[in-house]
Amino acid sequence: MHEIQHLIDGHTVAGSSGCTGPVFDPATGEQTAKVSLASAAEVDAAVASAKAAFHEWGGVSLARRTKLMLAFRNLVVDNSDEIAQRLTAEHGKVLDDARGEVARGIENIEFSCGVADALKGTHSEQASSGVDVYTVRQPLGVVAGITPFNFPAMVPMWMFPNAVACGNTFVLKPSERDPSAPMFVAELFQEAGFPPGVLNVVNGDKVAVDRLLEHPDVKALSFVGSTPIAKYVYASATSHGKRAQALGGAKNHMVVLPDADVEMAADAAVSAAYGSAGERCMAISVVVAVGGVGDQLVDAIKIRMEKLVVGPGTDPGSEMGPLITKEARDRVAGYVQAGADAGCEVVVDGRDQAFDGDGFFLGVTLLDHVTTDMSVYTDEIFGPVLAVVRADSYADGVQMIRDNPFGNGAAIFTRDGGAARQFQRDADAGMVGINVPIPVPVGYHSFGGWNDSAFGDTTMYGPEGLRFYTRPKVLTSRWPDPSTSSVDLGFPRND
Ligand code: NAD
C-alpha cells in the first residue's frame, strides 16, 4: 500500500520509525494509504535541516523572497484542482468546498508576497541630538506548525508562507488523517525554488508533536486543533521557552433577531452548519432564535435541509460529504441520541438517512428547544448537527455567548443597524459577522478566537502572523558631531 512519507531537506524521505497510521477515503470507508509516523530522531533531522537552512535563508533579500513566493503562489494556483482532489479523497469534503479551501490558502500566500512592505520598520530621527532610534523586525529561526484534519491544505498555508517570507525556516507536522494535500503543497514549494530545508514536513502523531515541543532549536510553535490539545501544546511550548500560538475548538452562535430576513438567515444557517459536514471551526452550531422568530426559522431551515444532497465529495451533485472517520461519525450520532434523551425536539434526525456502502456518512440533524445544560449545547460536536435555542431577548442571546467557554466566531442576523453595531461590541468572540454566518477574515486581517478558542497573545496570519514570526530589535545610534567630520559637509544645515 502507498506510504505517505516525510519531506526533509528538500527530499522525500521514507519513514524509519516502523510506525504508520491508516489513511481512509471517507466516502468509501476504504483504507487508501498509510502515513509514516515520525520518531523523535526523524523530527530532529527535519529541525536540523531547517536550522542549517536558516543560516542563509534568514539573510536572503526581500526581493528574492518575494520572487520565490510569487512562483510558489503561481504553482499553487496552477495545481489547485489537484490539491482539491487530494483534499476530497482523504478528508471527504465536496470538491467545491475543497476548491474554496485552496483559494483561502492562496490568499495567505498572496499576503506573504507583500512582506517587503509589511515588514518595514519604524525610525525616529534625532531622538536626541545626533541620536536616531529605529526598530527592525527579525526572524526567529526555526518555527514549527501543527495542523488539524479539517483544513489540511489551508491551515498550513495560514502559517508557513508568512513565516518563511519573514526569513524563518519551517517544520510542518500536518494531521495524520489526511496528509497528502499538505505534502503536495510542500512539493510545490520546493519546485518553486526555495532552498532545501526552508520547509520540511514530518508526518506523525503525538510523538512528533512532543519532540517539536521540547526541541531546543524550535523557537516558536503555531498550533491549530481541538481545545484540549491546544491547551496542552500552549502550556508545553511556553514551558520550554518557546513563543506559542494555539487555536482551539469552537461553538459558534448565530443570533437571529425577530426583524431578520428569515429566508436569508435560513440559507446562512444551513450552509454554515452543514457545509463540510460541520467539520469547520467556524461552523455555526447554535442558532439563538430571539422572540417569536423561532418557529418560522426552524421551518425555513427544515425545508432547505430536505433538499440538501449528501454524497461522495467527487460527485458534482453532492453538497455535503462524509465525516472524517467512522469513529467521528459514531460520536456525532451519539450526540444526536444524547439530545433526544435530554428532551430536545429532534426536528430532522440525520441517523434516519440511509447510505449505500461503508462510507462515513451521516445525514444532517436539526435539534430545536435545546437548553444550555444539554451536551449538544455545551460540547463541540464537530459534525452536521445544528442546535436551536429559543431566547426571550437580544440580551439573553448575548449572555449565552458570554457564558459559553469558547469564543471563536459569533454572528447576528438583523435589519437593525443599531442592534448590529451593539452586537459588534457585545459579542465575546474574536470574529464577528453581521448577516455573515462564517466571518473568516481575509488574508490581510488576522484569524483567531477568544477564550477557550485560542491560547497565546497573537492570532494567525495577516499582520498578527508577521508579528508572531518576527521579533523586534531596537537600534539606537549616535554619530560624532558632523562639524568634526573629515568630509566637508558644508555646515551649518537646516537653513
Ligand atoms: P486535534 O486536536 O485532534 O489534532 C490537531 C493536531 O494535533 C494534529 O496534527 C494531531 O496529530 C495533533 N495531536 C492530536 N492529539 C495529540 C496529542 N495528544 N498530543 C499532541 N498532539 C496531538 O484536532 P483535529 O481533530 O485534527 O481537528 C479538529 C479540531 O480543530 C476541532 O476542535 C476544531 O474546532 C479545531 N480547529 C480550530 C481552528 C481554529 O482556527 N480555531 C481551525 C481548524 C480546526
Side-chain angles (χ1 to χ4, degrees), residues 277-359:
E279 291 172 325
R280 288 173 175 156
C281 67
M282 289 294 276
I284 290 295
S285 46
V286 177
V287 163
V288 182
V290 175
V293 78
D295 290 348
Q296 200 192 342
L297 182 62
V298 167
D299 286 348
I301 293 174
K302 185 173 174 234
I303 290 167
R304 284 161 175 76
M305 290 170 73
E306 283 157 1
K307 296 185 198 139
L308 206 147
V309 182
V310 182
T314 47
D315 183 338
S318 300
E319 292 166 283
M320 189 187 106
L323 280 97
I324 183 72
T325 56
K326 182 176 178 304
E327 293 70 26
R329 194 259 320 270
D330 295 347
R331 188 180 47 76
V332 175
Y335 271 110
V336 178
Q337 186 58 45
D341 293 346
C344 69
E345 184 190 336
V346 184
V347 181
V348 179
D349 190 333
R351 297 170 302 172
D352 291 344
Q353 191 172 351
F355 296 93
D356 292 335
D358 297 322

Side-chain angles (χ1 to χ4, degrees), residues 243-258:
R243 189 177 280 207
Q245 51 178 189
L247 304 190
K251 194 80 183 176
N252 305 312
H253 292 54
M254 169 172 152
V255 177
V256 182
L257 295 189

Side-chain angles (χ1 to χ4, degrees), residues 146-150 158 173-176 204 206 209 223-226 229 232 247-250 281 380 382 408 447 453:
I146 297 159
T147 54
F149 81 82
N150 65 324
W158 285 0
K173 205 301 284 173
S175 169
E176 63 275 41
K206 180 171 169 50
V209 173
F223 172 89
V224 177
S226 60
I229 311 298
Y232 164 72
L247 304 190
C281 67
E380 181 183 40
F382 220 55
N408 220 33
F447 183 109
S453 292

Side-chain angles (χ1 to χ4, degrees), residues 36 39 77 222 235 237 279 297 347 482:
S36 310
S39 62
V77 169
S222 299
E279 291 172 325
L297 182 62
V347 181

